[in-house]
Amino acid sequence: MTVGPRPDLDEIVGAHDEERPARKLSERWERALWIVGAGVALLVLKQVFLPFDQGNQYYLVIFLGVTLPLVFLSYRPRGRRTKDKDDPGPIDWALTAVTFLVALYPLFTGFDDFLDRQGQLSTLDVVAGTVLLLLILEATRRTTGLILPIICLVFLGYAYYGGYLPQSWEISHAGMNFDEIISALYDPSNGFFGTPLDVAATYIVLFTIYGAVLANSGAGAFFVDFSFAIFRKSRTAPGRTTALSGFLLGTVSGSGTATTVTLGAITWPILQKAGYPKENAGGLLAASGIGAILSPPTLGAAAFIIAEYLETSYLTVLLWAIVPTLLYYLGIVFAVEADARRFGAHAVDVDTPKAWAVLAKGGYHFASLAIIVVFLALDIPPFSAVVYASGVAALFSLATKLFGEDKRAAVIAWLKEIVDSLAEGVRGALPVIAVCAAAGVITSVITKTGLGQVLANALVGAANSLSDNPTVVLAFTVVFSATAVCVLGLAVPVTASFIISWVVIGPALITLGVAKAETAMFIFYYAVLSEVTPPTALAAVAASAITGGAVLKTMWQTWKYTLPAFLVPLAFVLTDNGSALLLQRPFLDVLWVVLVSAVGVAALAVVTTGWLIGPARMPERILCVPAALLLLYLQPLSIAIGVGFVVAAVIVHLLFRHKDKEINRA
């Protein structure tokens, strides 16, 4: 399939992703880090099948000790490359050595003795913990920017100076001296080695390796080719293909921006030929790319943390995500159908074989995805399931290579592909590892000071000040919470945004009677959607770099495509029936709730696209606003009124169309 020249994807991702670009190392250092990365991957695999006898925290200390130093070798002190030579300098090597020493300090001094000193650290313990804290903040700055380290410092300042605040202030606390702060950061349930790092060291790294195996075996190209082959030649085919490709590419990329850029390089020439304006095409690319993070079976890093926080299986989280993901892409499809008609898009000939031929050649790429789900259903731990799935994907890749004439060369190429995948998987996870370690700093402070419950009470109190009706209080709290998560997500990556929001906003919703599952998924979806929220919307900025469209207009077009997704999570938490969207009700309940929600999404699409059966005027669009809101408040009375608004909108629309036809005849 020929689609024209590809732009420099790495450069665009590096410029616009929430994670900063890695160095472009010389061949010698690239090979060295390649070997180290593959070695770390083998350590992670060893922990899956032969865990350390000393326990999980022992492994986490080793994991942080061998991964955090790689950040200083892989990421430069400043965000952009300033010279041709981009290898680590003396300062980077010094930081690498110090990081290795202080991260593994608990092992060097005797791990059991170190555990016995918890709560009463020695002076050397405090010094080592302080240096490790500073190095984690610097690693986070290098990989994601300044905002998250600054937030960490603010929380640390609050932990230290909170005792000096007036006691009448609700946020005041007894205060923590510096030794107590460092001791809290070494706490195995929070801090450096808490749940976020635990998830990064197990689920996230292994799924990143799996994505690398799929990508190196050609799965990404297959998914795009398959999408083109399915829709073939029609005026809506380019838009539909973009949406489906984004969904499928989510299995090989954990980054919404990276998926957007990869997708754009392939599909933008097709969208351009079909007549899509630059900004609309960019909005579609960004919406489809971000949707990949929401899509089973891999989801984003925060989904693994949900499973750990709620002490449930990852398969359960995948099931919760199915219907919201379908509604998300349904909103995009409605917008695609409307846009194809509004812009007068036309069919584009794409040189792609028939769908069955593409499937016959590369359909085995779906096998490993199915294996993950099947193994999870058999109660096999997710970190084991993904290793088996990676093995299956690797074996299929070997089988396809052996069809060539030179078997020896095929095996050598395959072995290199596997080692590449191991190294790429570990290096691709470095930013998430740094973020998870830094997020542990924030959760530790919140837990030790009780700030989370104080802020949650303040959130509920703000809603109570507006009304004393429980339903209204919940509605205002939900709106305030959604806004807070989106605003936080403008500044920090999705994983950190979820972790912080869970310990601050989660208790507020749970206090008002919202179940933990609905609360977690609500926060997760808004943390992800913050990536398409103006004025940052990094995925939209990256898409505009691909299409050449105006950045701000592309952001608003992205928001148009994703608006239904901003409202659907509200349905999770506003009524008990919202749990059906997470497949937590009987089948018939799930069926009617999904159908009603789909109509609500369609009503929102009319509002954002200005299209119903034909061009929708302002009266129809205005009527569809309360229709969508009422339909997504999943109660019988509100649904009945919402349906009434939809019927009214359709009647008004048909009357206008009839009137226009009569005028045209005259």
Side-chain angles (χ1 to χ4, degrees):
M1 180 176 61
T2 303
V3 295
R6 291 167 62 91
D8 188 338
L9 305 189
D10 291 338
E11 182 177 342
I12 293 175
V13 173
H16 304 297
D17 198 1
E18 64 182 3
E19 298 169 0
R20 297 297 185 267
R23 299 179 192 268
K24 293 184 179 179
L25 299 169
S26 61
E27 184 177 352
R28 178 180 60 167
W29 292 119
E30 184 67 35
R31 188 182 302 113
L33 261 67
W34 180 80
I35 294 172
V36 174
V40 174
L42 293 176
L43 168 70
V44 175
L45 292 172
K46 180 262 181 196
Q47 178 66 11
V48 173
F49 299 106
L50 296 170
F52 287 101
D53 295 334
Q54 296 89 336
N56 191 57
Q57 191 180 6
Y58 183 87
Y59 164 64
L60 293 180
V61 171
I62 295 176
F63 178 79
L64 189 65
V66 296
T67 55
L68 195 64
L70 294 179
V71 172
F72 298 103
L73 300 179
S74 301
Y75 290 82
R76 59 187 74 89
R78 290 170 294 279
R80 294 183 180 277
R81 190 179 183 188
T82 56
K83 52 186 178 181
D84 292 338
K85 186 178 180 181
D86 203 23
D87 291 337
I91 295 178
D92 300 310
W93 282 108
L95 291 174
T96 299
V98 173
T99 303
F100 181 79
L101 292 173
V102 297
L104 294 177
Y105 169 81
L107 274 58
F108 294 145
T109 60
F111 187 65
D112 291 337
D113 292 339
F114 177 78
L115 293 180
D116 292 339
R117 296 195 302 272
Q118 292 295 295
Q120 293 181 327
L121 299 181
S122 67
T123 301
L124 189 57
D125 295 337
V126 174
V127 171
T130 303
V131 175
L132 180 58
L133 168 63
L134 295 174
L135 290 167
I136 287 173
L137 296 180
E138 170 60 11
T140 306
R141 185 195 69 81
R142 289 191 180 205
T143 54
T144 62
L146 271 171
I147 300 299
L148 184 55
I150 290 174
I151 293 175
C152 289
L153 291 173
V154 169
F155 275 92
L156 290 168
Y158 169 73
Y160 187 81
Y161 291 106
Y164 296 100
L165 296 174
Q167 293 301 304
S168 59
W169 292 13
E170 290 190 20
I171 62 171
S172 66
H173 59 88
M176 300 174 66
N177 62 40
F178 196 74
D179 289 9
E180 290 174 327
I181 292 174
I182 299 301
S183 181
L185 295 179
Y186 273 129
D187 189 314
S189 60
N190 292 292
F192 301 141
F193 307 110
T195 299
L197 184 66
D198 188 11
V199 171
T202 50
Y203 303 100
I204 294 173
V205 170
L206 290 170
F207 271 84
T208 307
I209 292 172
Y210 170 62
V213 171
L214 279 181
N216 288 331
S217 66
F222 162 73
F223 290 146
V224 175
D225 286 346
F226 183 61
S227 300
F228 275 107
I230 286 178
F231 296 115
R232 304 297 295 174
K233 184 178 178 181
S234 71
R235 62 179 177 179
T236 58
R240 292 177 183 175
T241 298
T242 301
L244 179 59
S245 299
F247 172 79
L248 294 175
L249 284 173
T251 59
V252 297
S253 172
S255 166
T257 302
T259 303
T260 298
V261 172
T262 303
L263 189 62
I266 300 170
T267 62
W268 161 235
I270 307 300
L271 293 172
Q272 188 177 32
K273 290 179 182 178
Y276 272 76
K278 296 177 180 179
E279 289 79 14
N280 293 79
L284 176 58
L285 291 171
S288 300
I290 291 299
I293 305 178
L294 302 171
S295 305
T298 53
L299 297 173
F304 304 109
I305 296 176
I306 292 175
E308 287 296 304
Y309 279 167
L310 271 58
E311 297 180 344
T312 189
S313 69
Y314 184 62
L315 177 61
T316 301
V317 179
L318 294 186
L319 293 175
W320 293 344
I322 290 175
V323 172
T325 300
L326 292 176
L327 292 175
Y328 177 89
Y329 279 101
L330 181 64
I332 294 178
V333 168
F334 283 143
V336 164
E337 297 295 322
D339 282 352
R341 290 160 176 79
R342 283 201 307 130
F343 305 144
H346 46 268
V348 177
D349 280 321
V350 180
D351 184 17
T352 303
K354 299 286 187 181
W356 64 266
V358 175
L359 191 60
K361 183 178 180 181
Y364 63 86
H365 289 297
F366 287 120
S368 62
L369 296 174
I371 283 173
I372 292 179
V373 177
V374 171
F375 281 10
L376 290 176
L378 294 174
D379 275 341
I380 294 175
F383 36 83
S384 298
V386 73
V387 172
Y388 297 141
S390 300
V392 168
L395 290 175
F396 271 120
S397 178
L398 174 62
T400 58
K401 286 179 171 57
L402 289 176
F403 280 114
E405 294 183 0
D406 191 340
K407 302 294 189 292
R408 182 173 179 275
V411 172
I412 293 174
W414 177 77
L415 290 173
K416 183 180 183 302
E417 179 183 294
I418 297 305
V419 179
D420 281 344
S421 299
L422 294 173
E424 290 169 14
V426 169
R427 292 177 66 181
L430 291 179
V432 180
I433 293 167
V435 164
C436 286
V441 174
I442 297 172
T443 57
S444 178
V445 171
I446 290 175
T447 301
K448 295 297 181 182
T449 62
L451 179 63
Q453 192 60 54
V454 171
L455 294 178
N457 292 340
L459 193 63
V460 177
N464 275 317
S465 67
L466 300 174
S467 174
D468 57 2
N469 183 290
T471 301
V472 177
V473 169
L474 176 60
F476 275 116
T477 304
V478 166
V479 172
F480 294 159
S481 299
T483 304
V485 177
C486 285
V487 171
L488 178 62
L490 298 178
V492 300
V494 171
T495 305
S497 177
F498 174 82
I499 294 169
I500 298 169
S501 298
W502 174 253
V503 295
V504 174
I505 293 170
L509 296 176
I510 293 170
T511 298
L512 293 175
V514 180
K516 287 186 177 181
E518 286 88 325
T519 299
M521 295 303 285
F522 172 85
I523 294 173
F524 170 57
Y525 274 85
Y526 278 111
V528 172
L529 291 170
S530 64
E531 286 207 12
V532 294
T533 304
T536 54
L538 297 175
V541 177
S544 68
I546 293 284
T547 65
V551 174
L552 190 58
K553 289 182 179 179
T554 301
M555 286 184 185
W556 286 113
Q557 289 299 321
T558 304
W559 196 72
K560 176 194 77 173
Y561 281 105
T562 57
L563 179 61
F566 278 87
L567 296 185
V568 167
L570 299 178
F572 299 168
V573 296
L574 286 176
T575 68
D576 292 339
N577 290 325
S579 63
L581 290 173
L582 305 183
L583 300 182
Q584 294 183 312
R585 289 292 190 88
F587 174 75
L588 290 179
D589 287 348
V590 171
L591 183 60
W592 75 257
V593 166
V594 170
L595 291 175
V596 169
S597 300
V599 177
V601 168
L604 280 172
V606 173
V607 176
T608 57
T609 63
W611 192 273
L612 191 48
I613 300 172
R617 291 178 170 83
M618 192 56 65
E620 302 104 287
R621 298 172 76 175
I622 291 174
L623 286 169
C624 283
V625 172
L629 295 175
L630 289 166
L631 287 168
L632 290 174
Y633 188 80
L634 299 169
Q635 293 285 32
L637 179 59
S638 65
I639 292 171
I641 299 173
V643 170
F645 274 106
V646 170
V647 172
V650 172
I651 291 173
V652 170
H653 182 70
L654 293 176
L655 289 174
F656 275 124
R657 280 176 62 84
H658 180 70
K659 183 178 179 181
D660 289 342
K661 288 180 180 179
E662 288 186 345
I663 292 174
N664 290 334
R665 289 195 196 100

